[in-house]
Each structure stands twice: as structure tokens, then as C-alpha cells.
Amino acid sequence: MLPAAVPSRQHTVQPMVTGTSVLGIVYDKGVLLAADTLLSYGSMAKAQNIPRLHAVEKTVIGASGEYSDFQRILEILKAKALEETTTSVMDSLYTEESGMTAENTWNYLRMLLYSRRSKFNPFWNELLVAGKDLKGKPFLGSVDKIGTTVRDNFIATGFGAYLAMPLLREKWRPDLTEGEARALLEDCMKILFFRDCRASPRIQLAKCADDEVLVSEPYELDTAAAWQAEAYRQSVGELEDDGGW
Amino acid sequence: MTTEVSMMHSAESQNLKDGEVSTGTTIIAIPFQGGVVVGADSRTSTGSYVAVRTSDKIACLSDHIYACRSGSAADTQALTDYIRYYLQQLKIETGRPARVKSAAHLLQKLVYQNKDNLSAGMIVAGWDPVEGPAIYSIALGGTCLKVPFAFSGSGSLYITGLLDSEFRENMTKEEARTLVKKALAHAMARDGSSGGIIRTVAITAEGNDRDYTSQLPYGPVSY
């Protein structure tokens, strides 16, 4: 007598392999995204050189949350981009000059994520979408696993919402240069490495400016200076101390 | 025949009871000729948040005996305070410094008799004139084991193979310290609940020297 089949899991209930925060900021000429390259399996650092920022045509998507769901979303977007190349201009939903912009992608992802959420089988991600809007201006928007969309000049997902947003709010100006925007994002990524257990100092940047979309290779942040303060070096475990942590 | 659908757990919470907070740490003790090197990371985490990134998990119990702490900060602080007091008292009553064995077994008594209320995994290591270098590992329920080298805490799982293959008897102080730092760096690279800097103390008959290392010998992997 064969054992009764165990029903296979049909709905994503818990994320397994995850990425942490993604940050995005609009500056004078475009948009910058930043994310670390770590995938965690619970508390284990499973893979440490994995890009979480991806360019599809003229849009860059960054994802935190379940990585397999991000891979599936990228498949869907790439198939959509391919389909556009074989669709006549008259039938296409998108204009001839700009094609499928980041704002269009953002809207499409909203529909995708909301419909999955409505079937109790969400894509367990928080996505940042960067590029241009329908009017050609720099665009940064987010979509979360229940289909909530936000468009703003600076957005952070995951831990970044708690630790990086206050810094971004304080320092953002509409006329930030690329250098200032990059320095601000790197500073936020350092803070996240110090205070988020699931973060790493190996990060990746992506830029959408003028008409180019660039995703950098991973590189390591220089965090050495932040451990040098005398107060940190002191031990507190010795007999004459109070024995605290 | 019935089939049961088990509770779905994320990879993170599978080993924890409901409401239990993961106590991330990596602590190590490795002996050398004439002493012991103890080492620890410096991350205190509550869930995914790093509450203290430069903590000191190496507590001095007496002149030549140290304890490395993992588990609840409150529990291990209270335990080390008690053991310090007992060892001071022992020194007055017996006229000589306490043995590492005494410190370890006193700690075992406390942990075992309060096992329902404590969450403490500790390594007691040091030097005494009777036995020379000695290392004891006291696990969560109060098991006390004398061991040639010890490693404990959530990050220690990732370095069992490394330590099993690289540990040798009769190393020099520098070799032991290098191995401690190497193992800690590897654990810190893979365990999200361990991180920060590496503190080590080399305990010998002549005295103890503390080291603070922020440049880890091994960092995030690049593959």
C-alpha cells in the first residue's frame, strides 16, 4: 500500500534565501541604486557575490526578499522586453521613442505583485525600479509584496527603511551631484553593514542617467576607520571593570 | 492513515522556540605551550539588529582564568559575577589562586542547578600552577567537559571542519593566536549573528595580553 501523497506546497509562506536592503536616490541627472551582494539563508551568509541589481532594457530593478521570486520576476520582464521587439509599433502599448520606460515597468510590476498577493501566493520581495518616467524625467519607485507602490526621490527597503531613510531625508536636495549622491548611498550602506546582521560590506551600484544604464561590479566598502575609536578598543571584561558586554 | 502538515518555518526560526531570540556569537579557546588563547567576535544582536557592534565577550574571572560568553547577556553577566566572587573567596580561604578546574566546576553547578531559567553557553580557560593550561566547555544544560580546544556559539558550526583539520598540539602563542583569529574570521564571514572585531586574550603564567583586531584575516568571499 503506497503512502498517501503529501500535498506539495503551493503558496510561498516564508522566504528562504533572502537579500537585505536596497537603496535608491534621485540626483540632478538621474537615479542611483545601491545594494549589497549577500544572499542569506536564515542567519547564514549563503552566497556573497550575488548581484541584486539588474538592468532590463532601460530600467534597473533592485530586489530585497526571496531571491527565487526575483529571478522569476526578471524572467517575466525579459520575456516582455523580447516580445516588444517583435510587436508592431501600432500594436505596442508603449510609445515609439521611449519604449517601455521604468514607470511602465513599475506599473506592470504593481499589477503582477498585487494579483499574486490576491491569490495568497505573493512574490516575497520589495522591489526598487529606477530609470525614466513617461515624461523623460528621472524615476524611482518601489513595489512591495502586497502590491503597494511608492514613487519618491529616495527610497530604502528592508532595514534601510529604518536606518538609511533618516539620513537620506536629511541630506537629499534636488540638485545633488552624482558624486554627492554616491557618497550618501555609500555612507548609508556602511551604516547598514554595521547595524544589520544580514548585511555585507561588498556592494554594487547602478546608475540610470541621460540615456545610459550602468550596473557596477561588486566592490568592498572601506570600513576600517569605524572600528578604531578608543572607546571600542577598551576591554570591559577585566576584573576592575564591571564585566559588562 | 493520516498525514500531518507541519508548521512552516523559515530557515531562520527552525531551531528556535517561540519567542526565543537568537544569541549570535562565536567564541574559541586554543591552547599553546604554557597557556591558552581565547577569542571572541564582538556582535550582540537582537533578531536582525546589531545592538552593540564592539562588545567584549571575554570576562576575566581571576588573574589567570577567563570565561568566554555566549547566550543571554544578563545571565552570563550574573554568572561571571558570582564566579569572580567565589574565586576571590577561594583564594582567601586556601591561600593560593584557584584552579581552572574549580572555576569551571563552580560554573557548572550554577548552570546545572538553574538550567530551566538560564541561557548560557560558556568556555572557561586559563592557566594554573597544578595543571598548566586548561580549557573547559560548559554547554546550555550544564554539561561540563574538559577539552583540548573549544569553540561555541552560533558561528562555531561553520568552523568545525576548519578547526578539526588545523588544530595541532603544542603550538606557539603566535600560532595559536593566528588560528583563533583565522577561525573567528571565517565564522564571522558566514554567520550573520557574528561579526565586528576580534578580541583575543593570551593567558600565561607571566600575565595576560589582550589584542584588538579590526582587520580580519578573512572577509566576505568573492565568489
Side-chain angles (χ1 to χ4, degrees):
Chain A
M1 182 71 185
L2 290 173
V6 176
S8 61
R9 191 184 342 181
Q10 298 293 341
H11 303 294
T12 305
V13 284
Q14 288 282 8
M16 287 288 162
V17 177
T18 56
T20 185
S21 325
V22 183
L23 311 181
I25 192 168
V26 172
Y27 63 100
D28 58 2
K29 298 214 172 59
V31 191
L32 268 184
L33 293 184
D36 68 21
T37 57
L38 175 65
L39 286 187
S40 301
Y41 183 67
S43 68
M44 176 189 175
K46 187 171 167 62
Q48 295 171 293
N49 203 32
I50 307 297
R52 295 194 290 117
L53 305 176
H54 242 278
V56 180
E57 296 294 302
K58 284 168 291 182
T59 304
V60 178
I61 324 264
S64 57
E66 172 65 48
Y67 198 69
S68 63
D69 285 343
F70 179 48
Q71 287 181 318
R72 178 66 188 127
I73 287 171
L74 287 177
E75 259 180 5
I76 294 170
L77 289 177
K78 281 185 189 144
K80 195 146 184 54
L82 182 60
E83 201 187 317
E84 273 304 297
T85 65
T86 54
T87 305
S88 141
V89 160
M90 290 188 298
D91 297 329
S92 168
L93 294 169
Y94 310 111
T95 69
E96 197 169 354
E97 316 88 60
S98 50
M100 191 176 178
T101 64
E103 187 173 353
N104 294 126
T105 306
W106 177 65
N107 265 307
Y108 181 75
L109 287 172
R110 177 183 50 74
M111 176 277 295
L112 197 61
L113 269 64
Y114 186 76
S115 68
R116 283 281 296 252
R117 155 268 197 205
S118 303
K119 297 183 244 177
F120 288 96
N121 186 15
F123 281 121
W124 205 285
N125 296 111
E126 227 181 314
L127 304 167
L128 282 194
V129 184
K132 288 193 171 168
D133 69 8
L134 293 165
K135 301 195 175 96
K137 296 275 177 295
F139 173 89
L140 175 66
S142 70
V143 192
D144 77 4
K145 64 174 162 311
I146 52 174
T148 318
T149 47
V150 170
R151 178 183 179 175
D152 209 338
N153 291 312
F154 45 88
I155 307 179
T157 70
F159 249 83
Y162 301 102
L163 295 177
M165 283 299 276
L167 298 171
L168 294 169
R169 258 178 225 125
E170 191 181 318
K171 295 270 163 68
W172 187 83
R173 300 180 333 264
D175 58 341
L176 276 177
T177 63
E178 186 184 316
E180 290 171 321
R182 180 178 168 161
L184 181 52
L185 284 189
E186 283 191 349
D187 194 37
C188 291
M189 294 303 293
K190 272 187 205 168
I191 305 292
L192 288 171
F193 167 59
F194 296 142
R195 292 295 176 173
D196 178 5
C197 288
R198 313 286 176 251
S200 113
R202 203 172 168 75
I203 70 165
Q204 194 192 16
L205 292 179
K207 173 170 96 164
C208 309
D210 305 315
D211 258 321
E212 54 172 7
V213 164
L214 291 171
V215 181
S216 81
E217 285 302 305
Y219 65 96
E220 223 166 287
L221 291 168
D222 179 15
T223 55
W227 302 103
Q228 302 312 324
E230 186 49 44
Y232 300 149
R233 296 180 154 273
Q234 264 171 32
S235 70
V236 291
E238 294 302 322
L239 279 176
E240 54 273 14
D241 304 316
D242 67 0
W245 288 74
Chain B
M1 178 187 240
T2 55
T3 53
E4 274 178 350
V5 178
S6 60
M7 266 292 288
M8 300 298 187
H9 288 289
S10 74
E12 173 121 26
S13 64
Q14 250 147 10
N15 299 322
L16 304 176
K17 301 186 189 57
D18 278 340
E20 190 179 349
V21 173
S22 166
T23 49
T25 290
T26 316
I27 49 178
I28 299 185
I30 296 193
F32 60 92
Q33 294 158 352
V36 184
V37 175
V38 295
D41 75 306
S42 69
R43 177 170 285 187
T44 305
S45 52
T46 41
S48 298
Y49 179 65
V50 179
V52 186
R53 62 183 172 101
T54 51
S55 11
D56 185 358
K57 305 181 186 181
I58 305 176
C60 185
L61 299 180
S62 75
D63 291 336
H64 299 288
I65 307 175
Y66 278 78
C68 300
R69 293 167 312 155
S70 72
S72 154
D75 290 349
T76 52
Q77 281 181 10
L79 287 167
T80 47
D81 281 349
Y82 273 110
I83 304 302
R84 276 195 188 123
Y85 165 62
Y86 291 148
L87 295 185
Q88 280 172 6
Q89 220 173 19
L90 266 181
K91 185 169 182 185
I92 291 168
E93 289 175 7
T94 61
R96 48 183 162 77
R99 292 180 55 182
V100 183
K101 185 175 180 177
S102 311
H105 282 95
L106 282 168
L107 186 58
Q108 179 195 27
K109 272 200 169 327
L110 282 179
V111 174
Y112 181 73
Q113 287 169 2
N114 295 289
K115 61 159 75 187
D116 295 338
N117 299 317
L118 290 176
S119 171
M122 300 176 65
I123 298 174
V124 176
W127 178 94
D128 64 52
V130 175
E131 195 155 359
I135 301 174
Y136 292 80
S137 183
I138 294 129
L140 240 44
T143 308
C144 176
L145 293 172
K146 185 175 196 306
V147 288
F149 65 98
F151 47 100
S152 191
S154 60
S156 65
L157 289 145
Y158 302 104
I159 48 173
T160 45
L162 177 69
L163 285 170
D164 283 343
S165 79
E166 301 234 339
F167 173 74
R168 289 174 343 268
E169 310 263 321
N170 296 320
M171 284 190 271
T172 66
K173 176 158 74 160
E174 285 324 305
E175 287 171 337
R177 198 167 227 149
T178 304
L179 180 55
V180 164
K181 290 185 189 177
K182 179 176 177 180
L184 282 169
H186 276 271
M188 287 151 76
R190 286 290 181 175
D191 180 26
S193 310
S194 300
I197 51 92
I198 296 177
R199 291 192 197 267
T200 59
V201 181
I203 312 159
T204 63
E206 292 78 42
N208 313 319
D209 73 278
R210 265 193 184 262
D211 178 77
Y212 177 101
T213 303
S214 56
Q215 297 284 67
L216 306 186
Y218 183 81
V221 299
S222 52
Y223 56 84

